[in-house]
Structure formats: C-alpha cells, structure tokens
Amino acid sequence: MSGLRKHFFTSESVGEGHPDKVCDQISDAVLDAVLKLDSNKEHCRVACETYVTMGLLIVGGEITTDAYIDIQKLARGVVKEIGYTHPKYGFDYETCAIVNTINSQSPDIAQGVNTGGAGDQGIMFGYACKETEEYMPLPIMLAHKLTKRTADVRRSNELDYLGPDCKSQVTVEYFDDEPKRVDSVVIACQHTEDILDNTGKHITQKARQELIDVVAKPVLKDLIDKDTKYYVNQTGKFLIGGPQSDTGMTGRKIIVDTYGGTVPHGGGAFSGKDPTKVDRSAAYMCRYIAKNLVAAGVADKLLIQLSYVIGHADPLSIYVDTYGTGKLSDEKIVKLIRENFKLTPRGIIESLNLLTPIYRKTACYGHFGRNDMGFAWEKTDKAADLKKQAAKM
C-alpha cells in the first residue's frame, strides 16, 4: 500500500456496568416510566439526573407528570438487571442506599415549551458514512460490539468470572480515508479473584487469552492480523469496579453515545431528557437526515448541524458538510432537508415517534447504528424519494 495516505483513529465504548452508564440507564428508565404512565404524555416533562458512588445512588432533576413513579423500586430493578447482584462486585441492588431529590420543571421554561418551542438553546450534530452497514464510523461500532460481546459472555456464563463493569477501545488504520485493519484493541473487564495468578497482582495468561479469543476475535474477525496489538486489563487486575471504584453521573459519556469522536458533538447529553429537549430529539433528527441522505447516494459521508433557541420552534440554522463527497452542492442539500424533514420539536417528535418508552434501550452501546432496536431515526425510509429528487436538481 505504498503511496497511500495512512492515518489511525481510535474510539472507545463502556459497558452497561460502568458507573456513568448505570446512571444513564436509570435516568432513561425514569423517562420511560413517565411516558408509559402519564395520562397526557405530550405535556409531561423529564430532565432526570442520577449520581452513583460506593453504596449510594441519588436520583434528581425536574419532572412534571401526573404519574406515580416508585423511584426506589425502579432504580433497584435497573441495578439488578445490569448485574450488580452480589457484594463481590462492590455494589449490590439490595443494599445500596437510594435518595430521591426530584422536583417539578420551572414554569418559566414550561411557558415556552408547551406552545411548541424548543426546550433549550443549543447546537446538535448528526453524521452518516459508508464505512459500515450501519452507516457509522467503524471504530465506534467495533468498540460497542466489544462491550456488548463482553456482556453477552458474562450473562451466558461462558466466562463466569466477569463482573458488570467493562471498557473497550479500538484503533483502526486507514488508507486514503478507507478503514483497512484494526491496529490495536483495549479490553478492560471487571473480574472475580478466580483468575488471578500466584502473585495476586495479575490475571493469568490463560484468562487473558480467553478474553482475546472469546470476546475480541469473534467481533473483529478479518480486520485483525498478526500485527494487531492487544491490551487486556493492562494494570494487571480489575477486581474493584463499578461504583465502588469510581463515581458515575448521567450524561458523561456523550462521545461514546454518538460517533466516537469522528465528528463534533454539540455538547448536550441525551439520557434522562424528554424529547422536547432538542439536545436529544434534534440530534436524533440530524442522524436520521444524514443517514437517509447518504443512503440516497447524495454523499458518501455527511455531517449536519442544527441550532435552536429556547421557546422558538424552527431551527436558527442548518449547516451541512460532505467532506468533498457530495453529489450536490451544500445549498441544494439544505434545500432537500427543508423540503423533506420536519425540524420543529413537534415535527421531530411526530416524525420519529419519540413519545414512546424506548429510551433505556438507547443508554448502552450507542444511540446510533442500532438497527436491531427499532429506533425510528435509524430508518432509511426517505432514501428512495431523496434519490429521485436529487436526480432532478
């Protein structure tokens, strides 16, 4: 491959037992419960934050609803499903303390949102490319698949020494902007004492190789070669994990949640926010737009930015960047966007069916590229029409 331009790019993912992801899942579980039980889900409002540390979980934020949500029962149920079911993991759903500090939404915000305006100011980004069948960058998709695979082999007891907390990182080598191989793999998995060597400071070589063979290789397949480097529990051991080892908070993994750092992020987190918050809903719409345009052949990769102001329905600006791969000018692509997509908060909610309780499923393994989850923003149902319209422009 001499003469080709080479670069490396890295993305990371964290598993469902990571403290920040524990918080994301609880916050989104609260949102789902409100959307299931509120008598008028169009007027309920949720901005739920969760904090977790050793032995303690705090749920707070601003929620307006006529539904009763048993926060204690809900939070313990999520922690149990994640896998913190025994003190050996440093956090236990039965014994952790839970504090509820939820209040109602400010009426100053409500008066602008209830009339159809955006729930906040901000900028949102969406992206799609042809690197994977999911129209996502390859590094972040591989990182997510590694953490998901780790959870699967833990739950099946194929590797019965694993705990709920884990992280992954994948470095992909590119030639002329095309991904060619995986250069390095990082796997960090919480585990029990069963796999420590005689020194008590490191996992055994057998366990290390098991993690490579059972977790990494089935995911990475022909993208790895004899030069691929593996870093498995690089400190030696990972006995202390989850909330025992680190505090967690909702919304601290925004790059994990989106595109793995390949493109900009607007700054707003997703989990725990109802869809009147454009931090979440407009980011989903941006992904929907970008994916359909790339699927339509308008560009090989495309970034879109929308901006909003609180209390005002229409976006203040629309920006696109095709990185030189566009088959149309940026101005014509913006015209296609305006003519084919509803960009007000109400229009986004209706288009993507965002008042359904699907949010906890988004809280792990990325909000995008999840074709198996049935998320409306991952559909390419507008691609055929966009292709026809683009051909006439």
Side-chain angles (χ1 to χ4, degrees):
M1 293 188 181
S2 61
L4 297 179
R5 187 170 61 88
K6 180 171 71 172
H7 75 274
F8 297 86
F9 194 84
T10 304
S11 293
E12 69 158 346
S13 179
V14 299
E16 59 196 74
H18 186 281
D20 293 330
K21 279 295 154 198
V22 171
C23 295
D24 285 345
Q25 290 171 89
I26 291 171
S27 294
D28 273 338
V30 171
L31 172 58
D32 283 349
V34 171
L35 291 174
K36 285 178 184 176
L37 300 174
D38 195 279
S39 63
N40 186 357
K41 60 181 66 179
E42 291 185 3
H43 286 167
C44 66
R45 299 288 180 265
V46 179
C48 183
E49 306 283 349
T50 304
Y51 169 88
V52 67
T53 188
M54 186 167 63
L56 174 65
L57 194 154
I58 301 173
V59 184
E62 297 77 45
I63 298 180
T64 300
T65 181
D66 60 16
Y68 170 71
I69 311 298
D70 187 336
I71 296 294
Q72 288 259 348
K73 182 179 179 180
L74 183 149
R76 291 190 195 280
V78 172
V79 174
K80 180 182 180 182
E81 289 174 23
I82 290 169
Y84 287 111
T85 57
H86 193 282
K88 67 182 177 181
Y89 298 128
F91 197 75
D92 183 6
Y93 81 99
E94 291 186 297
T95 59
C96 67
I98 297 178
V99 178
N100 179 358
T101 63
I102 291 172
N103 296 303
S104 61
Q105 185 189 55
S106 162
D108 295 347
I109 297 175
Q111 71 179 6
V113 176
N114 291 344
T115 58
D120 203 352
Q121 71 177 50
I123 55 175
M124 298 83 209
F125 289 94
Y127 180 73
C129 64
K130 292 186 175 180
E131 285 186 21
T132 64
E133 63 181 15
E134 298 91 353
Y135 291 92
M136 287 285 288
L138 181 61
I140 188 63
M141 289 307 301
L142 293 177
H144 285 322
K145 288 177 181 179
L146 284 175
T147 51
K148 181 64 167 61
R149 173 71 180 164
T150 305
D152 289 344
V153 299
R154 168 174 63 89
R155 293 181 183 280
S156 69
N157 284 322
E158 186 174 355
L159 298 180
D160 59 5
Y161 48 78
L162 293 178
D165 196 358
C166 71
K167 300 177 76 172
S168 71
Q169 187 170 284
V170 178
T171 299
V172 173
E173 186 173 7
Y174 287 75
F175 290 91
D176 282 352
D177 289 332
E178 292 291 327
K180 295 300 181 182
R181 58 179 292 274
V182 169
D183 183 69
S184 66
V185 184
V186 178
I187 301 174
C189 298
Q190 184 184 13
H191 59 84
T192 60
E193 294 182 347
D194 305 12
I195 58 169
L196 291 179
D197 63 16
N198 292 333
T199 69
K201 295 181 179 180
H202 300 88
I203 63 172
T204 63
Q205 184 59 35
K206 176 178 179 291
R208 180 184 184 276
Q209 193 61 47
E210 277 183 335
L211 287 166
I212 293 171
D213 291 341
V214 176
V215 174
K217 289 184 176 179
V219 169
L220 304 175
K221 299 178 181 176
D222 57 353
L223 288 167
I224 54 178
D225 56 32
K226 62 181 178 60
D227 296 319
T228 298
K229 299 175 284 293
Y230 297 93
Y231 302 91
V232 180
N233 284 16
Q234 195 64 18
T235 64
K237 62 180 180 178
F238 189 175
L239 286 175
I240 301 172
Q244 183 183 17
S245 66
D246 195 9
T247 59
M249 294 184 71
T250 300
R252 289 208 299 200
K253 288 292 178 282
I254 58 176
I255 302 304
V256 170
D257 285 343
T258 53
Y259 305 99
T262 298
V263 295
H265 188 288
F270 299 155
S271 289
K273 296 178 181 178
D274 74 76
T276 66
K277 280 77 171 174
V278 285
D279 275 344
R280 180 171 220 161
S281 55
Y284 290 172
M285 177 54 81
C286 285
R287 165 64 177 170
Y288 182 54
I289 295 168
K291 187 173 182 180
N292 275 273
L293 286 168
V294 172
V298 172
D300 293 336
K301 53 183 175 180
L302 186 143
L303 174 74
I304 174 174
Q305 183 206 63
L306 298 177
S307 68
Y308 290 84
V309 63
I310 190 168
H312 185 72
D314 293 310
L316 302 183
S317 64
I318 303 173
Y319 167 81
V320 297
D321 185 355
T322 63
Y323 305 91
T325 70
K327 310 305 186 288
L328 299 174
S329 68
D330 292 351
E331 292 80 5
K332 288 181 178 179
I333 295 174
V334 170
K335 186 173 186 292
L336 277 177
I337 292 170
R338 291 189 182 277
E339 291 176 350
N340 288 275
F341 298 92
K342 298 177 181 178
L343 302 179
T344 66
R346 281 182 178 170
I348 293 171
I349 291 168
E350 291 171 3
S351 299
L352 302 181
N353 198 21
L354 295 182
L355 291 178
T356 53
I358 45 92
Y359 292 101
R360 187 185 162 191
K361 293 189 295 184
T362 69
C364 280
Y365 314 117
H367 293 243
F368 309 125
R370 305 280 297 283
N371 298 332
D372 59 325
M373 292 289 102
F375 300 148
W377 54 90
E378 290 299 319
K379 294 180 179 179
T380 54
D381 53 338
K382 288 185 175 289
D385 284 344
L386 288 167
K387 186 174 183 177
K388 292 177 183 177
Q389 293 175 47
K392 298 176 181 177
M393 297 181 80

